[in-house]
Amino acid sequence: MLGLMQNWPLTVDKILDHAKHWHGDREVVSRSVEGPIVRTTYAQIHERAKKLSNALRGLGVLPGDRVATLAWNTGRHVEAWYGIMGIGAVCHTLNPRLFADQLCYIINHAEDKIIFTDLTFVPVLAENRARMPTVEHIVVMTDRAGMKGVDLPGALCFEDLVERSSAECDWGGFDENTAAGLCYTSGTTGNPKGVLYSHRSNFLHTLVTLGADVMGLSARDTVLPVVPMFHANAWGLAFSCAAVGAKMVMPGQKLDGASVHELLETEGVTFSAAVPTVWQMLLAHLRETKGELSTLKRVVIGGSAVPEAIVRGFRDEYGVDVTHAWGMTETSPLGTQATPNAAIAAMSEEEQLRYKLKQGRPPLGVEMKLTDDQGARLPHDGTTFGKLKVKGPFVVGEYFKGEGGAILDPEGFFDTGDVSTIDDQGFMQITDRAKDVIKSGGEWISSIEIENIAVGHPKAALAAVIGAFHPKWDERPVLLVKLEHGVEAAKEDFLKFLEGKIAKWWMPDDVVFVDDIPLGATGKIDKKVIRERMKDYVLPTAKAKENA
Amino acid sequence: MLGLMQNWPLTVDKILDHAKHWHGDREVVSRSVEGPIVRTTYAQIHERAKKLSNALRGLGVLPGDRVATLAWNTGRHVEAWYGIMGIGAVCHTLNPRLFADQLCYIINHAEDKIIFTDLTFVPVLAENRARMPTVEHIVVMTDRAGMKGVDLPGALCFEDLVERSSAECDWGGFDENTAAGLCYTSGTTGNPKGVLYSHRSNFLHTLVTLGADVMGLSARDTVLPVVPMFHANAWGLAFSCAAVGAKMVMPGQKLDGASVHELLETEGVTFSAAVPTVWQMLLAHLRETKGELSTLKRVVIGGSAVPEAIVRGFRDEYGVDVTHAWGMTETSPLGTQATPNAAIAAMSEEEQLRYKLKQGRPPLGVEMKLTDDQGARLPHDGTTFGKLKVKGPFVVGEYFKGEGGAILDPEGFFDTGDVSTIDDQGFMQITDRAKDVIKSGGEWISSIEIENIAVGHPKAALAAVIGAFHPKWDERPVLLVKLEHGVEAAKEDFLKFLEGKIAKWWMPDDVVFVDDIPLGATGKIDKKVIRERMKDYVLPTAKAKENA
């Protein structure tokens, strides 16, 4: 027997409709790419997005067509988003930090028909225009004055398109499972793979993140999404701000400490979200300039592990609450958030910090489990670590065009590629990437945990741990150390430093001093390159075994 | 093109699964019907609900079968709920305040197969057992000791069923549109009509109410749902508390000021929800006993309009924030909540109060409009009032068994039967019931507004306004007044009292002093009875017209 409630498909156009009807005057403020601060409202964004929808139809865009954006966080980017999605086309957010080759690969793989671009990225598109055969039009997100310097034959002007289109346009009316967005994972191995969000997944992600124990946004909040819209929908903020009528403050391309601080103060920002490096820059700027944070109350940090110093700095010096969140492109992106439960809230501030530095617990809508290599569930005891797998209505089911084949386990869970623990409060902590974990005699050793301790040695500039082949144990850890400039050290210095801080059987079998530890594009240690460089390395313990 | 995210049906069993996995130790505390305080946890409730599911299957319950509950808010009631819904049966909550005739009508209309009942209601069921032919079993929610006094042949014991059943039971796995719950409207005209909730509608309602601007519950909250589970799912709290891991405190049958106060204090309640009368009783009790509210922070009030004195009392004397909410059985029930937006939050406390006394604004997921009799949209100017119509995924589409026929307008909106205004902040205020509004020369007059002012006259005990036939204006208002005991007054006293407080053309054409103003079961003025009594009344202005 089916229920008799209304059929109301969860399509994201309804989010902007809601903002227009109930929070129409609420501002969306942008630092424009051209320079000046630009002020608009949800009502105006709604009208302009509808005009854009008509312009897109005029350019031949059909439901299901991919329309890309290569753009910073601005009001125009929000307009393009809703304008694309409202008519059932797919908004494909391109990451401008990618190399031209990757960008072209992704554009071709997605078969993008139109690209919206900020002025900033016109040169890279112009240079590679011939390599994008599916792209029929490039729309530059500026006005006629801005178009003057644009050297890209056939480029269209965003403001022109808006100006000459009608605002009469029906949005939605299609299946809620219709594709709405496309975002490629950076993919440390193999080609980037596309995650194809649906209207339903975006809508449900929005509702879940609005929960008081997740982002908890209200109509009274002023939100500065530093995290870019091309990073899994700015963690959903381009939807959730409109959903509650929060004022949005869009930082454009200027993400340095001084620029972010200026917007935080002049616009009265109460909530912000970004990766740790942005907050590190902001803290440095504040300390240098003796700046204040007079309105900011809450900050969500994700993208990589939060350094304790940031949490303490914001808490103790500025009275700002920092919450750690974890997610990935494949989870829309929210997976967990380290919001205290009742038991943790009853602890001392210092005890609470231990939990705040973990990645946190899942909200309703995210199922999560730890398994061993065979897929058997592991206990939530805070020490056992296993593969982290997730399931839910905004978790990827398969990649675009079936890349990577079947990606769910028999219970329907997606393997995140992370290795983690879950403690008795339900707080998850990432301990390693699955491919970096060291498998020694059937047990797992976290390379990251050893690295994090080793890099604390005063003589270490950088430290990395990888697994090296061992005839008896399969793998044993090797510690690579790049020393501080002009400093000397012995292997024993590091082994002694680790003693007592990690389990005995975790102790590296060797320490290798290197001149360089390679970092990837996101600033993380590039283990793939290290493993390549170390491919001829043989453990002394393995040699001893061989010689024995 | 469809998105490629996971297929994860929104079924309510997942809510209790979530509570078990991530908040398993969190308590659910009940004042049992037998008397003592009983403590359990989400993990235990989950296990016992699964056992009940197996017991129900053993009794022959199939998906789609209606299983009723006639019960107070207790942990056992929660177990019955999830046990019924988890296997695709329909949990039909019966309102014990109904007369036996209505109860029997509803049970027969729903074709309930099993009834779960508290000890309290065994007598009414025993007396009317023969009038419920579809009911195969009655389960009394008590243990073997409690069964001793039960005089109901064939009655089953709840604890027996739980004890002898296995906890191995698959829940869910069906279409998210599957019926989950059934609740009949009290229906001021005609027979009660059933609203058939789906798993999807309940799940979405849960996510929406968790928003920071709606109920905003967190894992750190301790929630006392005074509002009964038979009133539209206790405003969803039986779902939303489990969804976030809030501690639940279930008051059983004792809803008087002293009993509620005791639980608030001993269990550390932070959030509660109830109708105004409960809060009035609590306030009276607190003032009488010089009681304190040491943990309570937020109270949501709905069911009928909130008196200003309650909001002020809680705010000024106890530091508790009162939020007004509006909804109905047909809206699951949340429709609006009077949570301040940024503009209102910037006002003085006194100015804010003006908005707090309105019914509030809709969250994302509730569409709302005002229309005239012809269905044309009316402006949101705070003064124009029209029919209030709503639309959304947790709004009724049709009544059970098609009662009342097609109930949606051409745009898919449901007519709430209320007449209201919406102001420029998007705050809705109920001004009248549509059938009570007075239609004078094509314009509408709110009977309630005039009543509310008239009853403020020191000589008035009660006041009611109805429309009486007028040959020129169709209808004109008549004010009925029941005077305070032993007091005398002239019509002119009341007309003068109204002067300047309402528009001139709203002035009643007549004042009639009566000995009695009839009240309905819920304490509201029963206009149907008044209209019946006044059916031969003729307006003096109408007579004058006739004689002219």
Side-chain angles (χ1 to χ4, degrees), chain A residues 1 3-6 8 18 66 176-177 179 196 200 213 218-220 340 362 367 391-398, chain B residues 1 3-6 8 18 66 176-177 179 196 200 213 218-220 340 362 364 367 391-393 395-398:
Chain A
M1 180 182 291
L4 294 172
M5 307 307 277
Q6 292 184 13
W8 196 86
H18 178 81
R66 273 76 69 202
E176 69 187 32
N177 290 301
L196 192 66
R200 173 182 165 100
D213 268 357
S218 90
R220 300 171 301 288
E367 293 185 57
K391 183 176 174 179
F394 43 85
V395 177
V396 68
E398 57 181 293
Chain B
M1 179 182 292
L4 295 171
M5 307 307 277
Q6 292 184 13
W8 196 87
H18 178 81
R66 272 76 68 202
E176 69 186 32
N177 290 301
L196 192 66
R200 173 183 166 99
D213 267 358
S218 90
R220 299 171 302 288
L364 173 66
E367 293 185 56
K391 183 176 174 179
V395 176
V396 67
E398 57 182 295

